[in-house]
Amino acid sequence: MTDPGERLRSSLAADQSASSGMADFDSPIAMEALRATRVLHAADQEPFPPPARIRIITIANQKGGVGKTTSTVNLGVALALYGLRTLVIDLDPQGNASTALGVDHTVGTPSIYDALVGDSTLTEVVHQTTASPHLLCVPATIDLAGAEIELVSVVAREHRLRRAIEGYIAALPPERRPHYVLIDCPPSLGLLTLNALVAGDEVLIPIQCEYYALEGLGQLLNNIDLVRQHLNPGIAVRTILLTMYDGRTKLADQVADEVRNHFGDVVLNAVIPRNVRVSEAPGYGQSVLTYDPGSRGSTSYVEAARELAHRGVNLPPIDSTSTPGAATRFAVADAAAPQNRQ
């Protein structure tokens, strides 16, 4: 089976060859194709820089259908293909992230449920993906649907995922520790999402470029503030990603402008457009980057991942005096030496 990274590089070479004669065409389509080729080619030539410390990013939004899972999968694949060790944790009982990464999540498969409710470690439930050797996934099975009820009586129930991640990282040798841990949350503000917010050091919020996407955002931000006050003082919204952008509508521009005006530099410059390839890819157990590397959806997620990676280069250390477990995480991150793509 062809390696996804090789497929991507082959596609880049083909796209570059095909677009070499487009420089003389002053049309939006030609210029867009040329820009997409250059973006992908630059990423292929220059691996993304490793972060200053391990980044544990919770991808959350209680509204469904805004691109949480899609963004988790494609950002994870982009980071991994361009040299950064990445772990995706599927915390949604639907298991869509597991499907998109080609990881089995049928009943009985070792999954995140066993680490949250049972006695398993993340090491025992982590699976290798087909997208990249640098990308691992902890799948979710339907058993996770009952985890919220089962966790109610568990001591320190909000910290189960945090402790599992810290134990996993501490047990790994420096050269195998992940640069990024991406946590895909369910479309709710229940105990699973709370575990993800307590486990993470930062939050990435995907926002659909439609009016309804802004409703309920205040509730999510209030919940994050409550978590910061009582459970995880280090959590912060560091990234907002605009998704499902339709340039044919004024509404998409209005929503994008409103989000940028309100949140400022937290919003990534990269915007994810509506693209049928993004929707088709999970049906083949793939991300859009491996399914159709030259598509607009693939280009946009590579841009977003690159921007995310560059923002992580100069991150300040976590304040270990105010955040439980932060000292352990920072020491682990210091030991993780930058590694180029193999």
Side-chain angles (χ1 to χ4, degrees), residues 95-163:
N96 292 335
S98 308
T99 299
L101 291 174
V103 176
D104 182 29
H105 59 101
T106 54
V107 175
T109 302
S111 68
I112 189 62
Y113 172 84
D114 301 296
L116 288 178
V117 179
D119 298 323
S120 298
T121 64
L122 281 191
T123 304
E124 296 171 322
V125 300
V126 72
H127 296 251
Q128 178 65 56
T129 70
T130 57
S132 167
H134 291 302
L135 183 62
L136 301 175
C137 174
V138 178
T141 65
I142 193 62
D143 293 333
L144 194 60
E148 301 224 14
I149 297 174
E150 296 179 63
L151 285 172
V152 169
S153 59
V154 175
V155 175
R157 60 192 181 189
E158 302 92 351
H159 293 82
R160 298 285 292 182
L161 182 59
R162 184 187 189 99
R163 291 176 179 175

Side-chain angles (χ1 to χ4, degrees), residues 94-249:
Q94 298 176 86
N96 292 335
S98 308
T99 299
L101 291 174
V103 176
D104 182 29
H105 59 101
T106 54
V107 175
T109 302
S111 68
I112 189 62
Y113 172 84
D114 301 296
L116 288 178
V117 179
D119 298 323
S120 298
T121 64
L122 281 191
T123 304
E124 296 171 322
V125 300
V126 72
H127 296 251
Q128 178 65 56
T129 70
T130 57
S132 167
H134 291 302
L135 183 62
L136 301 175
C137 174
V138 178
T141 65
I142 193 62
D143 293 333
L144 194 60
E148 301 224 14
I149 297 174
E150 296 179 63
L151 285 172
V152 169
S153 59
V154 175
V155 175
R157 60 192 181 189
E158 302 92 351
H159 293 82
R160 298 285 292 182
L161 182 59
R162 184 187 189 99
R163 291 176 179 175
I165 293 174
E166 288 177 347
Y168 171 78
I169 293 174
L172 288 173
E175 68 276 7
R176 292 180 54 200
R177 290 168 182 158
H179 296 105
Y180 282 83
V181 178
L182 306 181
I183 307 172
D184 181 34
C185 293
S188 69
L189 293 176
L191 198 49
L192 291 175
T193 299
L194 181 59
N195 258 270
L197 292 175
V198 173
D201 299 320
E202 52 186 290
V203 180
L204 185 154
I205 304 177
I207 297 181
Q208 184 181 7
C209 292
E210 294 184 3
Y211 173 75
Y212 285 135
L214 300 178
E215 291 191 339
L217 187 58
Q219 184 181 0
L220 174 62
L221 296 176
N222 288 338
N223 279 32
I224 293 172
D225 284 338
L226 288 173
V227 171
R228 180 165 50 245
Q229 293 172 26
H230 301 287
L231 295 169
N232 182 7
I235 193 72
V237 178
R238 294 190 183 274
T239 310
I240 289 178
L241 177 63
L242 295 169
T243 64
M244 302 182 187
Y245 176 82
D246 188 345
R248 300 170 299 177
T249 66

Side-chain angles (χ1 to χ4, degrees), residues 241-319:
L241 177 63
L242 295 169
T243 64
M244 302 182 187
Y245 176 82
D246 188 345
R248 300 170 299 177
T249 66
K250 291 183 179 180
L251 177 61
D253 286 328
Q254 291 171 350
V255 172
D257 290 343
E258 187 171 342
V259 172
R260 292 189 188 280
N261 290 336
H262 184 77
F263 292 101
D265 293 339
V266 172
V267 185
L268 292 180
N269 293 320
V271 176
I272 310 302
R274 283 192 178 276
N275 182 247
V276 68
R277 296 300 191 188
V278 174
S279 302
E280 289 175 353
Y284 295 87
Q286 297 184 53
S287 70
V288 70
L289 275 80
T290 54
Y291 175 67
D292 189 352
S295 66
R296 290 179 61 221
S298 175
T299 303
S300 300
Y301 272 114
V302 169
E303 272 192 77
R306 181 191 294 107
E307 193 174 348
L308 185 69
H310 280 281
R311 290 187 178 195
V313 172
N314 298 313
L315 281 178
I318 301 172
D319 184 2

